[in-house]
Amino acid sequence: MAAAHPAMLSPGQVVVEPVPEPQDEAWKLNLNRAMMCPDCQELPPNIMEDWQEGNTVCATCGLVLETHLVDQRSEWRTFASDDGKGDDPSRVGKAEDPNNPGDHLQTSISFNASGMRDRALDRAQASIYKDAGQQHLESAYSVIRQYCNSLHLPNTTEQKASDLFRKFHAAPQLRGKNQDAIKLACILSATRKNKNGISYDTMMMMSGVSKRDISRAFKSLKEAFRANLTAPASSGAGKFDAQEETIVATSASTMTSRYSSQLQLQRHTNNLARKIADHVAEVGTLDGRNPNTTAGACIFTACHLTGDIRSLKEVAKEAGVNDSTIKGAYRKLMEEKDRVILPEWLGEGKGDLSRLPQV
């Protein structure tokens, strides 16, 4: 193939070559440049940074090379190490408590067992500056924390119960009610919201408060919640998210999980008991019965299906009902076992209908 001939130029025509546009080169650290003491001229340089004075100093001759340095290290904001308790890695102090938003702005005076003057000073400071209403809330939070620890409830449920008490403890619907019952009603509502599964009987045995008082306080709490939802925006009442604050009823499936954990059932037995409870609620076999009774009957059925057997008395004791009550619910399940127990729950390594007893 012949080479291309250059373009013919007319007389006097000049070809102007295009000039490429300058491009900015990416910045690169020049490792060939280093700070050096002009007097010592040591290489590698013997330079140290004095953060207390904010200077860069030659460690050989003491010449100050830079001043007014900004300390880029971590700035520790708590001083627990000053008390001889070791290093404190916290930079920002404790997390903010949503139920006491001004806690980090308060002044507290520490004292030990031998510091009587410090204790007296702390009491004097508390009597002057602490709000009586906030002290009442803090005392209630402490009681709620103790109840939740006794019931082995998670921190999320404790925070939810404390939040409910803060919002509704002064509601007109709760005036004159037992204060311990109000706290237990808030815990009961929080457990239902978080699906932890706590019955009235369990709370009554743990706290010593009568079931009647807890039930009344819980009903009053629901009334206060409904009144808050219907209150106009200009009334001054705090409006809360309806989806967030909805008080739901206890389901047998929720109670089943708790009782299975207390009975130390195997994981597949627990899962099967929950499936049975959910399906029983769908078909309506045990409609109208106490959720504790339904949960006990489902657990008793799942235990015998999987071979992880628990006696009727053991299940009844954890559910807080009579064994004859669970026995009646179990018989009702056996009458409709073809509807209640699905075929996919049966088979090798799953459930076996021949294990179900006749009671």
Side-chain angles (χ1 to χ4, degrees), residues 5 41 79 112 168 206 231:
H5 296 282
Q41 296 186 356
F79 307 97
N112 50 35
F168 295 107
M206 181 272 303

Side-chain angles (χ1 to χ4, degrees), residues 123-168:
R123 290 177 179 174
Q125 189 266 350
S127 63
I128 295 174
Y129 292 103
K130 282 197 174 180
D131 184 14
Q134 187 61 36
Q135 285 183 331
H136 172 68
L137 288 177
E138 291 178 359
S139 176
Y141 297 157
S142 177
V143 175
I144 291 175
R145 187 179 305 110
Q146 293 176 3
Y147 284 156
C148 291
N149 291 337
S150 300
L151 295 170
H152 305 287
L153 296 175
N155 293 333
T156 54
T157 301
E158 176 193 333
Q159 289 290 340
K160 186 65 177 178
S162 299
D163 189 44
L164 285 173
F165 185 85
R166 176 177 59 84
K167 293 176 179 177
F168 295 107

